[in-house]
């Protein structure tokens, strides 16, 4: 590079830094897409958010990549779910020699017991190895990590995120408080709406999904969920266990089955064919959609509630 060109590029890179130094957005690294959206809502223009796991990605079986170490090392604040949802996070923080503040978003919520029981104790699944019919979607630890599925817990996540942002960027504390208050108001409005919606469903409604990630939703909004993986942990269920699932569907007068965004279940398709219970659509549990109505936290919760309501509120059609 010629000296003049070098000086020019030096000036170009220095000038914006000098004039905007006080307004540099703080770097927040989140573990997964739902937290990404929440931090963006509370932080607004004051934050630059990046998520280790992109929308549609699976946090449970995630294997951190080398560039994730950089994303942590450059962060002013790291936000993750806790409740052992991201079992890999402490190793990553160590690897990045991270010393800045951390927000554990689920701090202060009342955890539910983990209802998934697996014998398999393999911690090193790669999310990309997942294939139809081979879901290794394991939760480790005694507590259920999917706390955001109850919007009141979501409001607590937002309070924790607000406090974390204020800690690293006290100059904008008032902004963070105002934005958090407004966001929490929207969260609580939707909470009330979903509560009303779910109360209108027949009392015997049972929802069958792929993995046990809706216990908080079930607990908050009074709709029982059953997970295929709770009923059958086999990758390739024998004819006998499929028969057991078919019996369960018939005994509980299940009106609809639901796919989950991250797991494509051959078993669910088989169950639908054998019971003639339709698959009503796709619920989002652990990750936002890349686009569309479920691409924000509130949008995802609304999408799930509307899908459940539309599939279950009609009287059950007579079975052949
Ligand atoms: Zn999950």
């Amino acid at each position: 590079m010629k000296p003049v060109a070098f000086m020019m590029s030096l000036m170009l890179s220095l000038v914006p830094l000098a004039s905007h130094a006080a307004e540099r957005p703080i770097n927040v690294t989140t573990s997964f897409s739902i937290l990404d959206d929440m931090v963006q809502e509370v932080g607004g223009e004051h934050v630059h958010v990046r998520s280790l796991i992109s929308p549609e990605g699976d946090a449970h079986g995630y294997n951190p990549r080398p560039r994730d170490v950089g994303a942590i090392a450059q962060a002013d604040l790291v936000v993750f779910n806790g409740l052992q949802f991201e079992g890999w996070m402490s190793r990553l923080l160590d690897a990045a020699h991270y010393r800045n503040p951390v927000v554990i978003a689920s701090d202060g919520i009342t955890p539910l017991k983990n209802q998934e029981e697996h014998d398999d104790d393999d911690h090193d699944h790669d999310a990309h190895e997942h294939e139809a019919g081979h879901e290794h979607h394991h939760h480790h630890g005694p507590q259920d990590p999917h706390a955001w599925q109850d919007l009141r817990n979501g409001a607590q996540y937002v309070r924790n995120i607000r406090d974390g942002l204020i800690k690293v960027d006290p100059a904008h504390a008032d902004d963070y408080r105002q934005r958090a208050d407004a966001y929490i108001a929207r969260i609580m409005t939707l909470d009330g709406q979903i509560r009303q919606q779910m109360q209108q469903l027949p009392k015997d409604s049972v929802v069958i999904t792929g993995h046990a990630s809706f216990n908080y939703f079930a607990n908050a909004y009074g709709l029982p969920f059953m997970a295929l993986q709770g009923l059958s942990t086999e990758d390739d269920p024998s004819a006998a266990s499929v028969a057991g699932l078919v019996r369960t569907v018939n005994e509980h007068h299940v009106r609809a089955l639901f796919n989950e965004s991250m797991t494509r279940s051959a078993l669910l398709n088989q169950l639908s064919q054998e019971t003639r219970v339709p698959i009503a659509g796709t619920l989002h549990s652990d990750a936002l959609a890349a686009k569309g109505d479920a691409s924000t936290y509130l949008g995802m919760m609304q999408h799930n509630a509307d899908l459940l309501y539309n599939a279950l509120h009609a009287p059950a059609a007579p079975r052949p």
Side-chain angles (χ1 to χ4, degrees), residues 222-299:
L223 189 63
F225 277 70
M226 297 175 87
L228 288 184
Q229 286 184 0
L231 302 171
S232 165
T233 58
E234 304 293 319
D235 285 344
D236 186 16
S238 65
S241 64
V242 173
L245 290 171
V246 169
R247 220 171 22 249
T248 304
V249 167
N250 289 329
E251 275 169 12
H252 288 273
H253 308 292
V254 171
R255 288 179 176 82
L257 304 170
F258 297 88
N259 264 320
E260 266 180 89
S261 52
M262 295 183 313
T263 57
R264 211 171 285 274
S265 177
L267 181 55
L268 197 74
N269 288 332
Q270 192 182 347
L271 195 56
S272 175
Q273 277 168 13
E274 296 200 12
T275 57
R276 300 190 189 188
V277 175
I279 296 177
T282 300
L283 295 169
H284 296 262
S285 60
D286 293 20
L288 299 179
K291 54 183 179 355
D293 61 349
S295 62
T296 66
Y297 172 54
L298 291 180

Side-chain angles (χ1 to χ4, degrees), residues 83-287:
L83 300 173
Q84 298 186 43
F85 184 58
E86 310 96 333
W88 37 269
M89 184 55 93
S90 60
R91 270 178 296 141
L92 194 55
L93 294 173
D94 284 348
H97 305 291
Y98 184 75
R99 296 286 177 273
N100 287 333
V102 157
V103 169
I104 299 171
S106 64
D107 263 359
I109 67 115
T110 305
L112 295 178
K113 228 167 94 24
N114 199 344
Q115 294 184 13
E116 284 202 332
E117 288 167 40
H118 292 301
D119 299 330
D120 186 342
D121 212 26
D122 184 350
H123 288 243
D124 293 319
H125 294 301
D126 184 335
H128 302 292
E129 285 171 9
H130 293 192
E131 293 166 50
H134 290 264
E135 288 121 20
H136 299 277
H137 202 90
H138 303 272
H139 305 292
H140 301 283
Q143 291 163 337
D144 185 333
H146 306 92
W148 61 85
Q149 285 291 341
D150 175 346
L151 282 154
R152 293 180 182 206
N153 289 342
Q156 177 62 19
Y157 280 39
V158 170
R159 286 180 209 107
N160 292 330
I161 288 167
R162 173 199 63 198
D163 294 347
L165 290 173
I166 290 174
K167 194 171 177 184
V168 295
D169 184 22
H172 295 117
D174 287 347
D175 274 8
Y176 296 137
R177 283 196 195 97
Q178 277 173 23
R179 297 186 66 100
D181 284 350
Y183 188 36
I184 288 170
R186 286 161 61 209
I187 289 174
M188 294 316 291
T189 300
L190 184 60
D191 179 72
Q193 281 171 19
I194 292 180
R195 208 167 293 275
Q196 270 194 339
Q197 250 179 328
M198 297 301 115
Q199 276 167 6
Q200 293 168 41
L201 295 179
K203 293 291 164 251
D204 62 347
S205 303
V206 172
V207 182
I208 294 195
T209 58
H211 92 290
S213 52
F214 290 96
N215 294 328
Y216 287 92
F217 189 100
N219 191 57
Y221 306 110
L223 189 63
F225 277 70
M226 297 175 87
L228 288 184
Q229 286 184 0
L231 302 171
S232 165
T233 58
E234 304 293 319
D235 285 344
D236 186 16
S238 65
S241 64
V242 173
L245 290 171
V246 169
R247 220 171 22 249
T248 304
V249 167
N250 289 329
E251 275 169 12
H252 288 273
H253 308 292
V254 171
R255 288 179 176 82
L257 304 170
F258 297 88
N259 264 320
E260 266 180 89
S261 52
M262 295 183 313
T263 57
R264 211 171 285 274
S265 177
L267 181 55
L268 197 74
N269 288 332
Q270 192 182 347
L271 195 56
S272 175
Q273 277 168 13
E274 296 200 12
T275 57
R276 300 190 189 188
V277 175
I279 296 177
T282 300
L283 295 169
H284 296 262
S285 60
D286 293 20

